[in-house]
Amino acid sequence: MAKLETALNKGAFIRASVWLGISVAAIGLAVLAGWALGLESLTVLIPGHVSMKANTAVSFICIGTALSTLTVYGGKGTSAPVIFARALALVAVSLGALNALEYAAGIDFGIDQMLFTDPQVTAQSPYPGRMSPVTALNFVLFGVALYYHSDDRKLAVVNALTAVAGAFSLLGVISALYGAIPLVPLARYTNIAVHTSIAFVLMFLGIIFSRPGYGIMKVVSDEGAAGLLARRLLPAVIALEISTGWFRLYLRDRDLVTREYGAALTTLVNLCFVVGFFVLAARALKRSEDELREHRERLEELVDERTAELTVTNEHLMAEARERRLAEKDLIKSEERFRLMVKAVKDYAIVMLDPDGNIASWNEGAERIKGYTSSEAIGRHFSCFYPAGDRDAGKPARELELVALAGRYEDEGYRVRKDGSAFWANVVITALKDDDGGLRGFLKVTRDITERKKAEDAVRRINEELELRVAERTSQLTSANKELEAFCYSVSHDLRSPLRSIDGFSQAVLEDYEDKLDDQGRDCLHRVRAASQRMGQLIDDLLKLSRVTRGEMQRESVDLSAVARKAAEGLSETQAGRQVELIVQDGLSVDGDPQLLRVVMDNLIGNAWKFTSKHASARIEVGGTVKDGRQAYFVRDDGSGFDMAYSDKLFGPFQRLHAVTDFPGTGIGLATVQRIIARHGGKVWAEGAVEKGATFYFTIGQDVPAILKEAA
């Protein structure tokens, strides 16, 4: 119950006002329907009493609808619903005023039975269809109160009119309860119907509920102890007074007690009710005080908790403030160091510009490079450093626009000193923006790179000269290659023909005249043939050497292990009787020209095969290793070897360390190997000892894979 009473706030009263207005309008509609359908149970609430007239029902519909509308829309302004509601209030005022005028002037305006014919003519209703004078007065009072419902300046008038009309309404209800007749002066007029009085009471409550913040409702709607007491006592007091009055009449009408004893009994009942009400009110106040004390204690706890939280927060804030002050001090020191550093820089002109391009700061480097002192430069526009042509073309302004958009701009070009001399500068301009992205200015760093520019120009001229020399040298090499090709053609065709003739005729002499020649003559012819054949072999080797240096390389991945095995197989087929152990490491792969690398392996393995021929059994090994941080490949044998003192002659054309009679050959093979390896960007070298074998190493111009370095 207490919770329900506490919930009666202002919003609840306003909602109640709307429903009370709807109820009043519903009563009017029900009575009007009773007149239309001839249902006396709707027009006369209590048999024997007067009926509610049709114009009374219409007036109730008007004021009930007006009350609900004005309460919902606030009653203010000139909106259509508000204008409509005020018009309905004026209709009720007009009907009430016309009926009152009919009573006062004795005039019948013809409005009493305008809607329906009233057959009831009694002492209580001498004028058929006409509302009672009290009803007419109430409609005037309630109508005027509704018209000025939302005018705060006339609120006192509205409350007074509503109170008077409410008093008349309550009088009618109480009179009906007590069975009383109207006041003597009004006896000759139409009496007020019971449900008319009830509707007026509802209307009175609806109007005062619609403004809960004013008058007596300001106290009733209060959520404190005063409001709670008013909401409990007012209904009880009203019910008590009505009940005791009825009880007193009941005793008097039945002569159950004397007048004096009846008054004493009525007083006792009143005292009991009043004491009971005050006890209930005291209990309610006690509960309110207890709840208030609990709320106060809880509030104190919350205040203590919040105070503790605020204390902790305050400590944190103070710590943050101390840290911020320290950070600000550090920032000031850092800015001071930066300012001193910038000021001390002499090789760079470091200048701050405002958003319009005017100079805001100036360091010693700027003074040294550009010739202006700080007082002369600050405030000037930075375009003063540009040549006149660039200024006329709008280059400085365009650069600032680009920096504002991109954030950074770099340029190299001529700039002008104070004395008018020009220098070649590298300029970097950076936009300075705040945390919100707003442009605060620009940082411009200029470096005098005139000497570097001169050096670059000198290098460019040297490069151009070198390119001319390279072109000339290329032309010379092209001519030399053409001459070499011609020479090779001559060697291949012109020199071979005489050699073939010498060899052929020597063979013919031996075949035709062998029996006519002595041993010395036959030996001389054999020597001639051997020399011509050797000369032919030399020509072939020279042609191969020239092709190695001239041909275009076709690089691809080459399986060096497979190439080595194939070269050894060819040698084994020519000398099947030799005992040679060949060991080839698997997975040897290089990036190079497959034809040239085949020539390399043929020559190196051929050399190993040749120089192990004096031994009954031989061992030839092909593998890979790491030398000086690079991948290297080797061919090793256990043959005759060589003296390391003559190792520099190994790779020269026609250079031999062994006699031809011991090991045949022309001395071109290793020279060919050296040139092929050189074309692959590598190098070749040999290690050995006499009768302890030799090892030939070569690289192909690539770094060692990491796995080979770890293995090494």
Side-chain angles (χ1 to χ4, degrees), residues 570-592:
L571 294 170
S572 298
E573 291 175 358
T574 60
Q575 300 180 25
R578 288 193 57 187
Q579 299 295 321
V580 178
E581 180 186 5
L582 179 66
I583 301 174
V584 179
Q585 180 180 335
D586 292 329
L588 297 178
S589 179
V590 296
D591 183 27

Side-chain angles (χ1 to χ4, degrees), residues 240-259:
L240 171 65
E241 292 301 326
I242 294 175
S243 299
T244 53
W246 178 85
F247 181 67
R248 189 172 183 178
L249 287 174
Y250 179 82
L251 294 177
R252 190 191 66 180
D253 292 343
R254 286 165 178 73
D255 294 327
L256 297 177
V257 294
T258 62
R259 184 181 65 180

Side-chain angles (χ1 to χ4, degrees), residues 389-461:
D390 290 345
R391 290 198 301 270
D392 296 340
K395 183 177 180 180
R398 188 165 58 252
E399 288 181 354
L400 291 187
E401 293 176 359
L402 292 174
V403 175
L405 292 174
R408 186 179 184 275
Y409 175 79
E410 185 171 358
D411 178 47
E412 286 190 6
Y414 281 109
R415 295 297 185 269
V416 180
R417 298 187 180 91
K418 177 182 176 182
D419 59 7
S421 60
F423 64 97
W424 192 263
N426 173 269
V427 181
V428 177
I429 305 177
T430 304
L432 302 178
K433 297 183 179 182
D434 54 25
D435 295 338
D436 298 328
L439 184 64
R440 301 294 300 274
F442 304 94
L443 176 65
K444 179 173 174 286
V445 180
T446 304
R447 183 159 58 108
D448 184 354
I449 58 172
T450 304
E451 296 302 323
R452 192 189 77 181
K453 178 67 174 174
K454 291 179 180 179
E456 290 175 352
D457 293 341
V459 170
R460 185 171 58 255
R461 286 194 299 271

Side-chain angles (χ1 to χ4, degrees), residues 455-475:
E456 290 175 352
D457 293 341
V459 170
R460 185 171 58 255
R461 286 194 299 271
I462 292 172
N463 288 335
E464 291 173 354
E465 293 176 0
L466 287 175
E467 288 176 359
L468 290 175
R469 293 180 182 180
V470 168
E472 294 175 358
R473 184 60 177 164
T474 302
S475 177

Side-chain angles (χ1 to χ4, degrees), residues 471-486:
E472 294 175 358
R473 184 60 177 164
T474 302
S475 177
Q476 294 173 0
L477 289 175
T478 302
S479 299
N481 282 333
K482 290 181 179 179
E483 292 176 359
L484 182 59
E485 289 177 1

Side-chain angles (χ1 to χ4, degrees), residues 147-376:
Y147 187 83
Y148 294 108
H149 176 269
S150 301
D151 191 346
D152 293 340
R153 294 172 299 178
K154 296 181 174 58
L155 186 60
V157 176
V158 171
N159 289 337
L161 295 176
T162 304
V164 173
F168 282 124
S169 304
L170 192 59
L171 177 63
V173 173
I174 295 173
S175 298
L177 289 175
Y178 289 175
I181 59 175
L183 296 175
V184 174
L186 300 177
R188 61 189 183 90
Y189 301 114
T190 301
N191 200 357
I192 185 169
V194 175
H195 42 341
T196 299
S197 299
I198 294 173
F200 276 134
V201 171
L202 297 178
M203 193 68 199
F204 165 73
L205 294 175
I207 292 178
I208 64 173
F209 284 179
S210 66
R211 301 296 296 273
Y214 297 91
I216 189 174
M217 289 305 299
K218 186 175 182 180
V219 177
V220 176
S221 63
D222 185 72
E223 295 184 1
L228 178 63
L229 187 63
R231 289 192 295 273
R232 289 197 172 190
L233 289 181
L234 281 178
V237 169
I238 293 173
L240 171 65
E241 292 301 326
I242 294 175
S243 299
T244 53
W246 178 85
F247 181 67
R248 189 172 183 178
L249 287 174
Y250 179 82
L251 294 177
R252 190 191 66 180
D253 292 343
R254 286 165 178 73
D255 294 327
L256 297 177
V257 294
T258 62
R259 184 181 65 180
E260 292 78 6
Y261 189 77
L265 188 60
T266 302
T267 302
L268 177 62
V269 172
N270 284 340
L271 287 174
C272 290
F273 274 106
V274 170
V275 170
F277 291 147
F278 273 101
V279 169
L280 292 176
R283 288 181 178 178
L285 288 175
K286 181 66 169 58
R287 284 196 298 270
S288 299
E289 290 176 355
D290 292 341
E291 292 177 358
L292 182 61
R293 184 170 56 257
E294 291 177 0
H295 288 313
R296 186 182 295 110
E297 292 174 354
R298 178 57 183 160
L299 182 60
E300 290 176 354
E301 292 177 359
L302 292 175
V303 168
D304 293 338
E305 293 176 1
R306 186 57 179 164
T307 302
E309 293 176 358
L310 290 176
T311 301
V312 174
T313 303
N314 186 47
E315 292 176 354
H316 290 165
L317 291 175
M318 292 179 64
E320 290 179 0
R322 287 193 297 269
E323 293 176 358
R324 188 178 295 109
R325 285 194 296 270
L326 292 175
E328 290 175 353
K329 291 181 180 179
D330 292 339
L331 180 60
I332 293 173
K333 293 180 180 178
S334 177
E335 290 177 349
E336 180 64 18
R337 288 194 298 268
F338 177 74
R339 187 185 64 79
L340 294 175
M341 180 187 70
V342 170
K343 183 178 179 181
V345 172
K346 296 183 179 180
D347 293 333
Y348 292 85
I350 302 176
V351 179
M352 296 286 292
L353 306 177
D354 65 16
D356 295 326
N358 298 313
I359 299 171
S361 70
W362 193 256
N363 75 328
E364 293 183 8
E367 183 173 345
R368 185 187 67 82
I369 293 173
K370 300 185 179 183
Y372 292 91
T373 63
S374 177
S375 59
E376 292 173 335

